[in-house]
Amino acid sequence: MRIADGVLEFAGRADDQVKVRGYRVEPDEVSAVLLRFEGVLACTVRAVRTEERGTELAAYVVPAGAQVTAAAVLDHARAALPEYAVPRYVELIARLPLTRSGKVDVRALRAPRPIRPRPGPASGLSPTERRVLAVWSSVLGEPVTSPTVSFFGAGGSSLLALTLYLRLKETFTEPFLMNDLFRFPTARGFAAFLARGSAPTPQGAAVDAPGRDLNRIATAAARRRLARGRETSTGE
């Protein structure tokens, strides 16, 4: 702001912008998107710090009725927001706690809990589906048993997708690209893709932006690992 003697003084950001997985996000804009869902009466979105994932978004939602679930709110968010802006946590509460001045009382909000996908039956899985889910569980740090939930629905992110790609490359010999994880985001879909002989996206075909970026990252990571292996061999 400008003060009386003409000196400019920086007063900081006027918005509530936070960085999530390398992207800048305004929680109030995420709240506005959630409020467009007919099942949401009121909500507030806050940034929370987690040890394993860094900064994530938590949505505190006052539902319009008992039939409204956290999963339904999350589905609405995924349909309208980029993946990094979708809240990791959705808490359904009876009302928003307010301060005397009418603002949301952040200190009164309970610690958020991650949304757990409904576990699917562990029986009836093919050997390939079991192997894929085992890799998922290792990457996510928690068991995943449903072959029909997406990797991102189970708690994955674009950054974790890189780790998933490298782990799957170590597990399976069939060829596939990073972008194929986005094309077939469920364990069942990816296993069926591998069973068909993969047929990864042709090099000249159109690939979405996340796939292009992550393919380049994965290729660079593989080259670095190969270079380290050569250096070790030379040193011996």
Side-chain angles (χ1 to χ4, degrees):
M1 62 180 178
R2 186 179 296 276
I3 56 179
D5 60 3
V7 177
L8 289 175
E9 178 181 336
F10 181 67
R13 300 191 65 92
D15 54 22
D16 191 26
Q17 202 172 81
V18 296
K19 184 171 279 191
V20 178
R21 305 173 207 166
Y23 297 90
R24 294 198 177 277
V25 182
E26 290 193 26
D28 286 347
E29 292 185 357
V30 177
S31 295
V33 170
L34 297 184
L35 285 169
R36 292 203 292 267
F37 179 38
E38 60 183 8
V40 174
L41 288 180
C43 74
T44 185
V45 175
R46 300 292 169 182
V48 294
R49 184 77 183 173
T50 64
E51 291 184 4
E52 69 279 8
R53 298 176 184 274
T55 300
E56 293 282 0
L57 297 178
Y60 294 86
V61 173
V62 178
Q67 76 283 1
V68 179
T69 64
V73 175
L74 197 58
D75 287 343
H76 171 80
R78 286 200 180 105
L81 293 166
E83 181 262 330
Y84 60 83
V86 174
R88 164 71 174 161
Y89 311 94
V90 176
E91 288 287 325
L92 300 181
I93 55 180
R95 62 182 181 83
L96 292 176
L98 302 177
T99 63
R100 291 182 179 180
S101 61
K103 296 182 179 180
V104 175
D105 187 353
V106 178
R107 291 178 297 180
L109 295 171
R110 67 192 180 199
R113 295 160 294 182
I115 300 172
R116 306 293 184 188
R118 270 183 272 177
S123 60
L125 297 175
S126 71
T128 302
E129 289 171 352
R130 290 182 184 278
R131 294 170 67 194
V132 173
L133 288 174
V135 176
W136 279 27
S137 299
S138 174
V139 171
L140 295 173
E142 56 189 24
V144 183
T145 59
S146 173
T148 57
V149 67
S150 76
F151 176 70
F152 303 101
S157 66
S158 294
L159 293 179
L160 284 177
L162 172 58
T163 302
L164 176 66
Y165 173 76
L166 295 175
R167 296 273 183 89
L168 289 171
K169 278 290 187 183
E170 295 172 352
T171 304
F172 296 97
T173 57
E174 292 86 348
F176 61 90
L177 299 176
M178 169 70 79
N179 189 58
D180 295 320
L181 301 183
F182 293 86
R183 294 171 61 207
F184 307 100
T186 68
R188 176 153 295 167
F190 187 74
F193 161 70
L194 293 179
R196 290 195 300 268
S198 301
T201 305
Q203 293 293 335
V207 178
D208 61 13
R212 284 199 304 269
D213 293 342
L214 291 171
N215 278 331
R216 286 196 292 268
I217 293 172
T219 301
R223 287 174 177 169
R224 285 196 296 271
R225 291 170 64 191
L226 179 60
R228 284 197 297 269
R230 287 173 177 170
E231 289 174 1
T232 303
S233 301
T234 303
E236 294 176 352

